[in-house]
PDB file of all heavy atoms in Angstrom:
ATOM      1  N   ALA A 165      -3.982   1.239   8.848  1.00 63.00           N
ATOM      2  CA  ALA A 165      -3.804   1.812   7.497  1.00 63.00           C
ATOM      3  C   ALA A 165      -2.624   2.776   7.538  1.00 63.00           C
ATOM      4  O   ALA A 165      -2.748   3.985   7.394  1.00 63.00           O
ATOM      5  CB  ALA A 165      -5.075   2.556   7.068  1.00 63.00           C
ATOM      6  N   ASP A 166      -1.399   2.210   7.593  1.00 77.00           N
ATOM      7  CA  ASP A 166      -0.220   3.018   7.756  1.00 77.00           C
ATOM      8  C   ASP A 166       0.053   3.849   6.530  1.00 77.00           C
ATOM      9  O   ASP A 166       0.464   5.005   6.632  1.00 77.00           O
ATOM     10  CB  ASP A 166       1.005   2.214   8.076  1.00 77.00           C
ATOM     11  CG  ASP A 166       1.194   1.043   7.088  1.00 77.00           C
ATOM     12  OD1 ASP A 166       0.469   0.044   7.087  1.00 77.00           O
ATOM     13  OD2 ASP A 166       2.042   1.232   6.118  1.00 77.00           O
ATOM     14  N   ASP A 167      -0.308   3.323   5.260  1.00 80.00           N
ATOM     15  CA  ASP A 167      -0.047   4.096   4.115  1.00 80.00           C
ATOM     16  C   ASP A 167      -1.097   5.226   3.930  1.00 80.00           C
ATOM     17  O   ASP A 167      -0.704   6.292   3.492  1.00 80.00           O
ATOM     18  CB  ASP A 167      -0.017   3.253   2.840  1.00 80.00           C
ATOM     19  CG  ASP A 167      -1.380   2.393   2.679  1.00 80.00           C
ATOM     20  OD1 ASP A 167      -2.152   2.322   3.638  1.00 80.00           O
ATOM     21  OD2 ASP A 167      -1.524   1.879   1.550  1.00 80.00           O
ATOM     22  N   LEU A 168      -2.313   4.961   4.296  1.00 80.00           N
ATOM     23  CA  LEU A 168      -3.333   6.054   4.266  1.00 80.00           C
ATOM     24  C   LEU A 168      -2.954   7.148   5.229  1.00 80.00           C
ATOM     25  O   LEU A 168      -3.019   8.367   4.982  1.00 80.00           O
ATOM     26  CB  LEU A 168      -4.699   5.485   4.570  1.00 80.00           C
ATOM     27  CG  LEU A 168      -5.837   6.557   4.554  1.00 80.00           C
ATOM     28  CD1 LEU A 168      -5.876   7.364   3.310  1.00 80.00           C
ATOM     29  CD2 LEU A 168      -7.164   5.893   4.839  1.00 80.00           C
ATOM     30  N   SER A 169      -2.597   6.728   6.488  1.00 81.00           N
ATOM     31  CA  SER A 169      -2.178   7.675   7.504  1.00 81.00           C
ATOM     32  C   SER A 169      -1.001   8.509   7.094  1.00 81.00           C
ATOM     33  O   SER A 169      -1.049   9.773   7.296  1.00 81.00           O
ATOM     34  CB  SER A 169      -1.779   6.883   8.740  1.00 81.00           C
ATOM     35  OG  SER A 169      -1.329   7.829   9.786  1.00 81.00           O
ATOM     36  N   ALA A 170       0.019   7.913   6.370  1.00 85.00           N
ATOM     37  CA  ALA A 170       1.045   8.686   5.891  1.00 85.00           C
ATOM     38  C   ALA A 170       0.700   9.624   4.731  1.00 85.00           C
ATOM     39  O   ALA A 170       1.200  10.762   4.683  1.00 85.00           O
ATOM     40  CB  ALA A 170       2.205   7.684   5.322  1.00 85.00           C
ATOM     41  N   SER A 171      -0.224   9.182   3.907  1.00 85.00           N
ATOM     42  CA  SER A 171      -0.706  10.048   2.789  1.00 85.00           C
ATOM     43  C   SER A 171      -1.317  11.272   3.421  1.00 85.00           C
ATOM     44  O   SER A 171      -1.102  12.447   2.933  1.00 85.00           O
ATOM     45  CB  SER A 171      -1.648   9.262   1.913  1.00 85.00           C
ATOM     46  OG  SER A 171      -2.103  10.057   0.902  1.00 85.00           O
ATOM     47  N   LEU A 172      -2.213  11.077   4.414  1.00 84.00           N
ATOM     48  CA  LEU A 172      -2.907  12.217   4.948  1.00 84.00           C
ATOM     49  C   LEU A 172      -2.041  13.144   5.804  1.00 84.00           C
ATOM     50  O   LEU A 172      -2.422  14.307   6.031  1.00 84.00           O
ATOM     51  CB  LEU A 172      -4.043  11.699   5.841  1.00 84.00           C
ATOM     52  CG  LEU A 172      -5.153  10.933   5.212  1.00 84.00           C
ATOM     53  CD1 LEU A 172      -6.117  10.337   6.217  1.00 84.00           C
ATOM     54  CD2 LEU A 172      -5.894  11.780   4.243  1.00 84.00           C
ATOM     55  N   ALA A 173      -0.810  12.684   6.067  1.00 87.00           N
ATOM     56  CA  ALA A 173       0.138  13.496   6.917  1.00 87.00           C
ATOM     57  C   ALA A 173       0.747  14.606   6.017  1.00 87.00           C
ATOM     58  O   ALA A 173       1.372  15.540   6.536  1.00 87.00           O
ATOM     59  CB  ALA A 173       1.180  12.658   7.410  1.00 87.00           C
ATOM     60  N   PHE A 174       0.578  14.558   4.665  1.00 92.00           N
ATOM     61  CA  PHE A 174       1.149  15.465   3.796  1.00 92.00           C
ATOM     62  C   PHE A 174       0.104  16.239   2.975  1.00 92.00           C
ATOM     63  O   PHE A 174      -0.896  15.640   2.465  1.00 92.00           O
ATOM     64  CB  PHE A 174       2.096  14.789   2.827  1.00 92.00           C
ATOM     65  CG  PHE A 174       3.268  14.047   3.456  1.00 92.00           C
ATOM     66  CD1 PHE A 174       3.200  12.713   3.729  1.00 92.00           C
ATOM     67  CD2 PHE A 174       4.391  14.791   3.889  1.00 92.00           C
ATOM     68  CE1 PHE A 174       4.267  12.054   4.359  1.00 92.00           C
ATOM     69  CE2 PHE A 174       5.471  14.155   4.513  1.00 92.00           C
ATOM     70  CZ  PHE A 174       5.388  12.791   4.705  1.00 92.00           C
ATOM     71  N   GLU A 175       0.243  17.496   2.911  1.00 92.00           N
ATOM     72  CA  GLU A 175      -0.687  18.288   2.107  1.00 92.00           C
ATOM     73  C   GLU A 175      -0.479  17.902   0.680  1.00 92.00           C
ATOM     74  O   GLU A 175       0.642  17.541   0.244  1.00 92.00           O
ATOM     75  CB  GLU A 175      -0.471  19.789   2.391  1.00 92.00           C
ATOM     76  CG  GLU A 175      -0.742  20.226   3.775  1.00 92.00           C
ATOM     77  CD  GLU A 175      -2.238  20.033   4.113  1.00 92.00           C
ATOM     78  OE1 GLU A 175      -3.077  20.154   3.215  1.00 92.00           O
ATOM     79  OE2 GLU A 175      -2.561  19.759   5.272  1.00 92.00           O
ATOM     80  N   PRO A 176      -1.485  18.253  -0.218  1.00 91.00           N
ATOM     81  CA  PRO A 176      -1.244  17.906  -1.736  1.00 91.00           C
ATOM     82  C   PRO A 176       0.038  18.518  -2.226  1.00 91.00           C
ATOM     83  O   PRO A 176       0.696  17.862  -3.096  1.00 91.00           O
ATOM     84  CB  PRO A 176      -2.561  18.503  -2.289  1.00 91.00           C
ATOM     85  CG  PRO A 176      -3.563  18.401  -1.194  1.00 91.00           C
ATOM     86  CD  PRO A 176      -2.819  18.685   0.053  1.00 91.00           C
ATOM     87  N   GLY A 177       0.390  19.735  -1.831  1.00 93.00           N
ATOM     88  CA  GLY A 177       1.540  20.357  -2.402  1.00 93.00           C
ATOM     89  C   GLY A 177       2.837  19.821  -1.865  1.00 93.00           C
ATOM     90  O   GLY A 177       3.942  20.158  -2.337  1.00 93.00           O
ATOM     91  N   GLU A 178       2.781  18.935  -0.808  1.00 95.00           N
ATOM     92  CA  GLU A 178       3.969  18.382  -0.218  1.00 95.00           C
ATOM     93  C   GLU A 178       4.217  16.944  -0.689  1.00 95.00           C
ATOM     94  O   GLU A 178       5.200  16.337  -0.313  1.00 95.00           O
ATOM     95  CB  GLU A 178       3.783  18.287   1.312  1.00 95.00           C
ATOM     96  CG  GLU A 178       3.665  19.693   2.034  1.00 95.00           C
ATOM     97  CD  GLU A 178       3.457  19.601   3.425  1.00 95.00           C
ATOM     98  OE1 GLU A 178       2.774  18.600   3.905  1.00 95.00           O
ATOM     99  OE2 GLU A 178       3.956  20.459   4.159  1.00 95.00           O
ATOM    100  N   ARG A 179       3.370  16.410  -1.536  1.00 95.00           N
ATOM    101  CA  ARG A 179       3.526  15.010  -2.013  1.00 95.00           C
ATOM    102  C   ARG A 179       3.426  15.017  -3.522  1.00 95.00           C
ATOM    103  O   ARG A 179       2.735  15.896  -4.125  1.00 95.00           O
ATOM    104  CB  ARG A 179       2.514  14.113  -1.383  1.00 95.00           C
ATOM    105  CG  ARG A 179       1.053  14.392  -1.716  1.00 95.00           C
ATOM    106  CD  ARG A 179       0.088  13.640  -0.856  1.00 95.00           C
ATOM    107  NE  ARG A 179      -1.230  13.741  -1.469  1.00 95.00           N
ATOM    108  CZ  ARG A 179      -2.354  13.969  -0.679  1.00 95.00           C
ATOM    109  NH1 ARG A 179      -2.287  14.039   0.608  1.00 95.00           N
ATOM    110  NH2 ARG A 179      -3.554  14.063  -1.264  1.00 95.00           N
ATOM    111  N   VAL A 180       3.941  13.962  -4.128  1.00 96.00           N
ATOM    112  CA  VAL A 180       3.855  13.838  -5.603  1.00 96.00           C
ATOM    113  C   VAL A 180       3.778  12.345  -5.981  1.00 96.00           C
ATOM    114  O   VAL A 180       4.330  11.565  -5.334  1.00 96.00           O
ATOM    115  CB  VAL A 180       5.134  14.503  -6.229  1.00 96.00           C
ATOM    116  CG1 VAL A 180       6.401  13.764  -5.890  1.00 96.00           C
ATOM    117  CG2 VAL A 180       4.940  14.587  -7.729  1.00 96.00           C
ATOM    118  N   ILE A 181       3.048  12.095  -7.076  1.00 97.00           N
ATOM    119  CA  ILE A 181       3.023  10.853  -7.727  1.00 97.00           C
ATOM    120  C   ILE A 181       4.034  10.944  -8.948  1.00 97.00           C
ATOM    121  O   ILE A 181       3.880  11.812  -9.718  1.00 97.00           O
ATOM    122  CB  ILE A 181       1.657  10.426  -8.215  1.00 97.00           C
ATOM    123  CG1 ILE A 181       0.643  10.517  -7.070  1.00 97.00           C
ATOM    124  CG2 ILE A 181       1.645   9.053  -8.821  1.00 97.00           C
ATOM    125  CD1 ILE A 181       0.986   9.629  -5.894  1.00 97.00           C
ATOM    126  N   VAL A 182       5.044  10.100  -8.949  1.00 96.00           N
ATOM    127  CA  VAL A 182       6.119  10.236  -9.963  1.00 96.00           C
ATOM    128  C   VAL A 182       5.795   9.441 -11.169  1.00 96.00           C
ATOM    129  O   VAL A 182       5.710   8.178 -11.070  1.00 96.00           O
ATOM    130  CB  VAL A 182       7.383   9.820  -9.379  1.00 96.00           C
ATOM    131  CG1 VAL A 182       8.567   9.896 -10.353  1.00 96.00           C
ATOM    132  CG2 VAL A 182       7.790  10.582  -8.064  1.00 96.00           C
ATOM    133  N   PRO A 183       5.509  10.117 -12.315  1.00 90.00           N
ATOM    134  CA  PRO A 183       5.080   9.409 -13.487  1.00 90.00           C
ATOM    135  C   PRO A 183       6.181   8.429 -14.004  1.00 90.00           C
ATOM    136  O   PRO A 183       5.853   7.382 -14.570  1.00 90.00           O
ATOM    137  CB  PRO A 183       4.853  10.482 -14.482  1.00 90.00           C
ATOM    138  CG  PRO A 183       4.711  11.725 -13.714  1.00 90.00           C
ATOM    139  CD  PRO A 183       5.550  11.552 -12.520  1.00 90.00           C
ATOM    140  N   GLY A 184       7.348   8.750 -13.780  1.00 86.00           N
ATOM    141  CA  GLY A 184       8.484   7.809 -14.286  1.00 86.00           C
ATOM    142  C   GLY A 184       8.707   6.550 -13.452  1.00 86.00           C
ATOM    143  O   GLY A 184       9.556   5.835 -13.792  1.00 86.00           O
ATOM    144  N   ALA A 185       8.005   6.458 -12.355  1.00 96.00           N
ATOM    145  CA  ALA A 185       8.109   5.350 -11.460  1.00 96.00           C
ATOM    146  C   ALA A 185       6.715   4.486 -11.516  1.00 96.00           C
ATOM    147  O   ALA A 185       5.681   5.115 -11.532  1.00 96.00           O
ATOM    148  CB  ALA A 185       8.412   5.747 -10.023  1.00 96.00           C
ATOM    149  N   ARG A 186       6.878   3.227 -11.482  1.00 96.00           N
ATOM    150  CA  ARG A 186       5.701   2.368 -11.511  1.00 96.00           C
ATOM    151  C   ARG A 186       5.875   1.185 -10.577  1.00 96.00           C
ATOM    152  O   ARG A 186       6.937   0.533 -10.563  1.00 96.00           O
ATOM    153  CB  ARG A 186       5.435   1.876 -12.930  1.00 96.00           C
ATOM    154  CG  ARG A 186       4.169   1.136 -13.142  1.00 96.00           C
ATOM    155  CD  ARG A 186       3.914   0.869 -14.607  1.00 96.00           C
ATOM    156  NE  ARG A 186       3.647   2.149 -15.326  1.00 96.00           N
ATOM    157  CZ  ARG A 186       2.424   2.782 -15.454  1.00 96.00           C
ATOM    158  NH1 ARG A 186       1.386   2.185 -14.939  1.00 96.00           N
ATOM    159  NH2 ARG A 186       2.320   3.829 -16.096  1.00 96.00           N
ATOM    160  N   ALA A 187       4.849   0.892  -9.836  1.00 97.00           N
ATOM    161  CA  ALA A 187       4.837  -0.308  -8.997  1.00 97.00           C
ATOM    162  C   ALA A 187       3.792  -1.251  -9.447  1.00 97.00           C
ATOM    163  O   ALA A 187       2.655  -0.814  -9.795  1.00 97.00           O
ATOM    164  CB  ALA A 187       4.602   0.133  -7.562  1.00 97.00           C
ATOM    165  N   VAL A 188       4.160  -2.472  -9.490  1.00 97.00           N
ATOM    166  CA  VAL A 188       3.187  -3.506  -9.942  1.00 97.00           C
ATOM    167  C   VAL A 188       2.579  -4.089  -8.738  1.00 97.00           C
ATOM    168  O   VAL A 188       3.278  -4.630  -7.810  1.00 97.00           O
ATOM    169  CB  VAL A 188       3.891  -4.616 -10.712  1.00 97.00           C
ATOM    170  CG1 VAL A 188       2.849  -5.761 -11.139  1.00 97.00           C
ATOM    171  CG2 VAL A 188       4.552  -4.102 -12.026  1.00 97.00           C
ATOM    172  N   ILE A 189       1.282  -3.945  -8.572  1.00 96.00           N
ATOM    173  CA  ILE A 189       0.556  -4.474  -7.417  1.00 96.00           C
ATOM    174  C   ILE A 189      -0.468  -5.512  -7.928  1.00 96.00           C
ATOM    175  O   ILE A 189      -1.335  -5.223  -8.727  1.00 96.00           O
ATOM    176  CB  ILE A 189      -0.208  -3.265  -6.713  1.00 96.00           C
ATOM    177  CG1 ILE A 189       0.705  -2.134  -6.357  1.00 96.00           C
ATOM    178  CG2 ILE A 189      -1.010  -3.710  -5.560  1.00 96.00           C
ATOM    179  CD1 ILE A 189       0.117  -0.861  -6.085  1.00 96.00           C
ATOM    180  N   ARG A 190      -0.377  -6.730  -7.306  1.00 95.00           N
ATOM    181  CA  ARG A 190      -1.225  -7.791  -7.699  1.00 95.00           C
ATOM    182  C   ARG A 190      -2.593  -7.707  -7.059  1.00 95.00           C
ATOM    183  O   ARG A 190      -2.744  -7.765  -5.892  1.00 95.00           O
ATOM    184  CB  ARG A 190      -0.584  -9.132  -7.375  1.00 95.00           C
ATOM    185  CG  ARG A 190       0.863  -9.272  -7.932  1.00 95.00           C
ATOM    186  CD  ARG A 190       0.791  -9.578  -9.379  1.00 95.00           C
ATOM    187  NE  ARG A 190       2.214  -9.548  -9.935  1.00 95.00           N
ATOM    188  CZ  ARG A 190       2.450  -9.839 -11.230  1.00 95.00           C
ATOM    189  NH1 ARG A 190       1.512 -10.169 -12.030  1.00 95.00           N
ATOM    190  NH2 ARG A 190       3.745  -9.861 -11.594  1.00 95.00           N
TER     191      ARG A 190
END
Side-chain angles (χ1 to χ4, degrees):
D166 55 282
D167 58 344
L168 176 57
S169 178
S171 180
L172 295 174
F174 299 98
E175 297 295 329
E178 297 177 323
R179 64 190 192 223
V180 66
I181 306 302
V182 181
R186 186 170 295 272
V188 179
I189 304 164
R190 304 286 172 176

